[in-house]
Amino acid sequence: IRDSFIKRDILESGITEDTKFYRMLMILASQSGNLLNVNEVSNTLKVTNATVENYLYVLQKCFHITLVKPFYNNIRKELTKMPKVYINDLGLRNVLINYFSSIEQRADKGMVLENFCFRVLLEKYDQDQIKYWRTADGNEVDFIIETQFLKGIAVEVKFNEQEAKLSKYKKFIASYPEFPLEFWWWKKMDLLT
């Protein structure tokens, strides 16, 4: 089912190197929730950046992935920063990386939960309203949501409630006090969905 589903998209999109396209989708699945470095992917696949950009376009149009832009007050900086990539179907992600353990036993449980939280947010907000925040020195907040009616909220995803330490986010809180920071964790997700 997986192969026929993706093969149809490859054929309809006119992709000629289906093996590299499929390999890129597997790479993106394994890096869901991480920054997308087009140069790195093109070097790994031994294709041009333009080819990777084309594949990304096709994957977005076929609703396999979503790219999340960074949040900055300076729009010029936002346009030069790398997006984060999320897989739109976690079942397909698991098939692509061949990993089916229960969430509690998974080495990638934080990544899976973050991707799941992205899908929950996408049901409530437009894609362009969901961003992430990251500084050069590694400070990060998983999701920043801005709407016309609400100045914004910030969401940090942690697998366990014990990992949610407000002190780690002092820089964000000081810079953006109008964005209340919420922590979402695995056991809390039942309340959010």
Side-chain angles (χ1 to χ4, degrees):
I1 293 172
R2 169 204 65 196
D3 293 340
S4 63
F5 184 56
I6 295 169
K7 189 69 128 177
R8 183 198 69 212
D9 293 334
I10 290 170
L11 291 171
E12 289 177 1
S13 302
I15 301 292
T16 56
E17 296 189 65
D18 57 336
T19 304
K20 291 188 179 189
F21 180 86
Y22 186 74
R23 227 175 120 221
M24 186 173 110
L25 183 54
M26 290 173 61
I27 289 168
L28 298 179
S30 70
Q31 296 179 349
S32 181
N34 289 328
L35 296 178
L36 173 62
N37 185 327
V38 171
N39 289 330
E40 186 179 291
V41 174
S42 70
N43 288 337
T44 301
L45 295 175
K46 296 182 179 31
V47 297
T48 65
N49 284 7
T51 299
V52 170
E53 295 285 354
N54 180 47
Y55 290 177
L56 290 170
Y57 175 80
V58 169
L59 288 168
Q60 288 177 89
K61 289 298 176 190
C62 294
F63 303 103
H64 292 302
I65 66 167
T66 301
L67 299 180
V68 174
K69 295 176 184 176
F71 170 78
Y72 280 96
N73 281 335
N74 180 340
I75 191 71
R76 208 181 277 167
K77 278 189 176 183
E78 181 180 315
L79 294 173
T80 62
K81 298 292 182 178
M82 289 183 275
K84 285 173 84 172
V85 63
Y86 290 97
I87 302 296
N88 290 332
D89 182 331
L90 283 167
L92 177 61
R93 179 191 181 272
N94 290 341
V95 168
L96 288 167
I97 64 173
N98 195 27
Y99 198 5
F100 303 100
S101 297
S102 69
I103 188 75
E104 292 86 4
Q105 298 173 344
R106 294 180 72 120
D108 65 347
K109 61 188 164 198
M111 190 183 295
V112 171
L113 183 58
E114 183 179 330
N115 202 130
F116 176 74
C117 290
F118 171 70
R119 296 299 309 157
V120 169
L121 288 169
L122 204 52
E123 289 176 13
K124 298 177 181 185
Y125 303 100
D126 290 336
Q127 178 183 334
D128 292 338
Q129 295 174 310
I130 305 170
K131 298 187 178 184
Y132 74 92
W133 178 78
R134 186 176 183 140
T135 63
D137 57 351
N139 291 293
E140 182 176 1
V141 174
D142 293 324
F143 302 107
I144 308 296
I145 294 93
E146 283 188 294
T147 70
Q148 291 178 322
F149 309 108
L150 174 74
K151 180 56 182 166
I153 61 168
V155 175
E156 179 63 20
V157 179
K158 298 293 182 191
F159 192 78
N160 295 309
E161 186 177 0
Q162 296 80 7
E163 298 171 0
K165 299 190 185 322
L166 203 56
S167 59
K168 294 170 86 176
Y169 303 92
K170 286 181 183 176
K171 189 170 187 173
F172 177 81
I173 292 167
S175 299
Y176 302 100
E178 70 275 16
F179 286 86
L181 180 62
E182 296 179 9
F183 289 98
W184 290 6
W185 56 88
W186 178 243
K187 298 297 181 187
K188 185 179 180 179
M189 290 312 298
D190 289 342
L191 304 172
L192 299 171
T193 56

